Amino acid sequence: HRMYHGVDHTLFHPRQRRLAGQVPLIVSVGRLRAKKGLDVLVDACATLRARGVPFACEIVGYGEEQPRLQAQIDRLGLQAQVQLVGKLAREQVIDRYARAAVYVQPSRIAADGDRDGIPNVLLEAMAMGLPVVATRVSGIPELVEDGHNGLLADATDPDTLAARVADVLRDPPAFAHLGRAARETAIGRYD
């Protein structure tokens, strides 16, 4: 038997989405811990920049990996594109979802075996009707069906992660169905 947690789909709702005609925003939310794979996202952002894909990336959260992630951002010269925005109130997180072009959940299995199950923030983003790119770790593929309600990548492959994100950013109308299906999944199975 599985007991899934739920998400308030009235609070996390696409009506709040407000994409502006600016540089597309990539958002990721979570504790800055090894299992979140945020260093892989930063490497993927370097690949996006090298491929000429316009983007901004905001990583929301706090934790022990913050100094290492900031050093990685600095070393790669990504300060203008990738921001560690710290811990935010729920309303501010919803604002990030509302402005995002894509949500990325780059989870992986940490060296000590720690891993995500189904991250609540991934459910929140899906309930907002956001296209999501996530990794094939633990319970995530139970939620995200590749090509149906999101895109999946391998957990330790920044190039594939970058390619999946680039697909969404380069042709938002072609991937809008992912956001619609993501919302249907979130409210249908995770209410």
Side-chain angles (χ1 to χ4, degrees):
H1 296 280
R2 292 187 179 119
M3 175 76 89
Y4 292 113
H5 59 290
V7 64
D8 183 346
H9 59 82
T10 60
L11 180 63
F12 298 95
H13 195 283
R15 71 175 166 268
Q16 299 188 60
R17 303 259 300 129
R18 52 184 184 284
L19 289 175
Q22 57 194 26
V23 175
L25 178 62
I26 300 165
V27 169
S28 192
V29 180
R31 286 281 310 269
L32 306 185
R33 305 178 67 180
K35 73 176 182 177
K36 296 300 182 180
L38 295 166
D39 58 324
V40 176
L41 174 56
V42 172
D43 283 341
C45 286
T47 300
L48 289 171
R49 184 186 61 191
R51 293 179 182 168
V53 178
F55 73 94
C57 178
E58 293 187 0
I59 298 172
V60 177
Y62 65 97
E64 62 269 13
E65 291 286 306
Q66 183 171 346
R68 194 168 76 79
L69 288 168
Q70 188 61 59
Q72 180 185 9
I73 291 165
D74 295 344
R75 180 174 35 80
L76 294 170
L78 289 169
Q79 301 93 329
Q81 288 93 10
V82 181
Q83 304 295 315
L84 301 177
V85 298
K87 183 178 179 179
L88 298 177
R90 181 172 61 183
E91 295 76 23
Q92 294 170 302
V93 173
I94 292 171
D95 177 66
R96 291 320 193 278
Y97 294 145
R99 293 187 290 112
V102 62
Y103 178 84
V104 179
Q105 186 69 47
S107 300
R108 69 165 169 231
I109 300 172
D112 64 0
D114 194 13
R115 67 195 75 195
D116 279 327
I118 295 177
N120 196 55
V121 291
L122 183 55
L123 271 175
E124 292 171 357
M126 291 175 73
M128 291 285 294
L130 259 169
V132 300
V133 176
T135 52
R136 293 178 182 91
V137 171
S138 301
I140 292 173
E142 293 177 40
L143 172 63
V144 180
E145 299 171 52
D146 192 39
H148 170 67
N149 62 2
L151 299 175
L152 291 172
D154 292 331
T156 58
D157 184 357
D159 291 335
T160 302
L161 186 67
R164 303 312 304 261
V165 171
D167 287 343
V168 176
L169 296 183
R170 285 187 175 132
D171 194 358
F175 291 91
H177 72 281
L178 295 177
R180 290 189 297 273
R183 171 132 177 106
E184 289 172 12
T185 299
I187 65 175
R189 292 175 38 206
Y190 299 88
D191 188 355

